[in-house]
Amino acid sequence: MEVSAAMWTAAIVGAVVVYWFVWVMGAAEVKGKRAVNLKMGSITRDKVQDNYKQYWSFFRRPKEDIAAADDDDNVPAFVDTFYNLVTDIYEWGWGQSFHFSPSIPGRSHRDATRLHEERAADLIAARPGLRVLDVGCGVGGPMRAIAAHSGAHVVGITINEYQVARARTHNRKAGLDDRCEVICGNFLEMPFADASFDGAYSIEATCHAPRLEDVYREVFRVLKPGALYVSYEWVTTALYRADDPAHVQTIRGIEAGDALPGLRAQHEISEVARQVGFEVAEERDLALPPAGPWWTRLKMGRISYWRNHLLVSALTALRVAPKGVVEVHEMLYETARHLSDGGESGIFTPMHMILCRKPLAAPPPSS
């Protein structure tokens, strides 16, 4: 009798643990993904591990090797693969806005994220009646926040078809599909007419471009004269030393784990903007004090990582999640460590803000 009672007790406790891990703690956001629904984008289950290995073999090379091999043209395809691999994990463990934000005392991460996005809308004076471009929109977290805050019509572009579907689903659920439009395309060759947008923004997205001037030139082309463009850029700061092995390891870890063909230096951003024809209205690092550290959320998430790691391992063993998910999750955890190191040491910032204006009488951009 006692053995039977013990078995029933163990079964009930086990069921409660599984319920807690998968359903209660399975999503970081109320409308996020759950662990049992990790699909790895549009990649078929049997190809997830192969795609991960191909991605990792490409991006773990130094940026000099990618450039020397003339592989820049292959970068967009591997960025697409990256977002197939990580989009569901990002939604599950982070939320619908795939970017960082300064921490704000007394405010939640979600509030800090929203305020960071609304700042972009305010900088470009987004308002009702204007058509605004989101350059690299992901699953549309910033798009929805900016549309709701400003009343503008926001058009987002992402290279990943799976993200397009996710963004459209979220837009409908939020009741914003009349103000939020999502297009699948490459922001290096955007399918929009010249001078067709009243403003534009990119939030930690253009770092995926092999040459920043190529995406800035496209943004310049589609903006109307006098329109504003703001970008939050991932860059190395003036504290970075290329002769310091620890610095190099940190930056290489960030690049390899985030599908970056090579981080640019902070001072290069305004040079590129002016080169393509923009006027630079403002430029500063939004991560500097009095802003709170943006990397605290990564460090606070280490306990969650081990909980999630156990969960994805179990789901993979049970064949609920596809083979390869564990490797992707481990890659993202290792990348988070490099990002934290970059933030704490001050050699990296993900929010170097540049606000640009297309001149009213715009000269042709330099080639």
Side-chain angles (χ1 to χ4, degrees):
M1 188 70 176
E2 292 181 359
V3 174
S4 177
M7 291 178 63
W8 273 107
T9 301
I12 292 171
V13 170
V16 169
V17 168
V18 170
Y19 173 80
W20 178 261
F21 267 71
V22 177
W23 296 107
V24 177
M25 299 186 71
E29 303 287 336
V30 174
K31 298 181 180 179
K33 273 276 181 177
R34 294 192 182 277
V36 292
N37 296 323
L38 298 179
K39 295 181 179 178
M40 302 292 101
S42 58
I43 302 173
T44 57
R45 291 176 60 91
D46 60 323
K47 298 294 184 183
V48 171
Q49 195 166 50
D50 289 342
N51 275 258
Y52 165 73
K53 290 178 179 178
Q54 291 167 12
Y55 163 82
W56 190 241
S57 66
F58 183 84
F59 275 107
R60 70 179 176 180
R61 298 177 297 167
K63 62 182 180 181
E64 295 81 8
D65 291 354
I66 294 176
D70 198 24
D71 275 345
D72 282 353
D73 291 342
N74 294 323
V75 169
F78 279 103
V79 171
D80 183 31
T81 296
F82 173 76
Y83 280 111
N84 274 325
L85 293 170
V86 305
T87 290
D88 277 357
I89 294 178
Y90 277 0
E91 280 203 62
W92 170 47
W94 193 262
Q96 297 171 22
S97 294
F98 299 172
H99 64 80
F100 297 105
S101 58
S103 59
I104 303 174
R107 304 295 289 268
S108 67
H109 292 306
R110 187 180 296 187
D111 285 344
T113 296
R114 176 180 53 78
L115 292 170
H116 195 52
E117 294 163 349
E118 291 176 354
R119 184 205 300 254
D122 294 340
L123 284 167
I124 61 172
R127 58 187 183 275
L130 298 189
R131 188 170 184 250
V132 172
L133 175 63
D134 183 330
V135 184
C137 66
V139 299
M143 169 192 297
R144 289 181 287 280
I146 287 172
H149 173 70
S150 69
H153 182 86
V154 184
V155 179
I157 184 169
T158 172
I159 199 169
N160 186 264
E161 290 185 2
Y162 183 71
Q163 289 189 336
V164 171
R166 293 293 298 163
R168 288 173 178 169
T169 297
H170 289 311
N171 291 345
R172 285 193 296 271
K173 288 182 178 179
L176 290 168
D177 49 333
D178 59 331
R179 273 188 278 164
C180 295
E181 181 182 350
V182 191
I183 302 295
C184 187
N186 186 346
F187 58 33
L188 301 176
E189 299 175 316
M190 292 192 281
F192 306 122
D194 294 356
S196 55
F197 287 93
D198 301 292
Y201 65 88
S202 52
I203 299 180
E204 303 182 27
T206 57
C207 50
H208 293 299
R211 293 173 295 274
L212 186 62
E213 56 267 31
D214 291 345
V215 61
Y216 275 20
R217 188 175 289 113
E218 272 293 272
V219 175
F220 185 92
R221 178 184 67 79
V222 302
L223 283 179
K224 296 176 181 178
L228 293 167
Y229 166 55
V230 65
S231 185
Y232 297 168
E233 294 287 347
W234 282 31
V235 296
T236 58
T237 72
L239 297 177
Y240 172 70
R241 295 289 179 266
D243 58 353
D244 186 324
H247 286 193
V248 173
Q249 182 181 30
T250 294
I251 297 304
R252 281 295 305 127
I254 293 171
E255 291 170 342
D258 282 299
L260 308 182
L263 281 169
R264 284 164 274 272
Q266 205 163 28
H267 67 84
E268 296 175 336
I269 306 304
S270 60
E271 295 173 6
V272 171
R274 291 187 177 97
Q275 174 188 330
V276 305
F278 279 120
E279 298 170 349
V280 177
E282 186 181 356
E283 184 180 24
R284 59 194 173 101
D285 185 358
L286 299 179
L288 293 177
W294 54 266
W295 60 89
T296 53
R297 187 178 178 188
L298 291 171
K299 300 182 79 68
M300 289 170 62
R302 289 182 178 177
I303 295 176
S304 296
Y305 162 77
W306 288 109
R307 182 259 299 178
N308 292 348
H309 182 72
L310 290 172
L311 184 53
V312 295
S313 298
L315 292 174
T316 301
L318 294 171
R319 298 187 179 182
V320 175
K323 190 176 181 180
V325 173
V326 174
E327 289 92 331
V328 175
H329 190 255
E330 288 175 347
M331 177 190 74
L332 294 180
Y333 175 71
E334 186 66 16
T335 305
R337 183 176 65 81
H338 290 300
L339 287 163
S340 296
D341 290 345
E344 289 185 317
S345 64
I347 65 172
F348 165 77
T349 176
M351 53 192 73
H352 178 81
M353 185 278 290
I354 183 166
L355 178 63
C356 305
R357 179 183 292 105
K358 182 173 180 176
L360 286 171
S366 59
S367 60

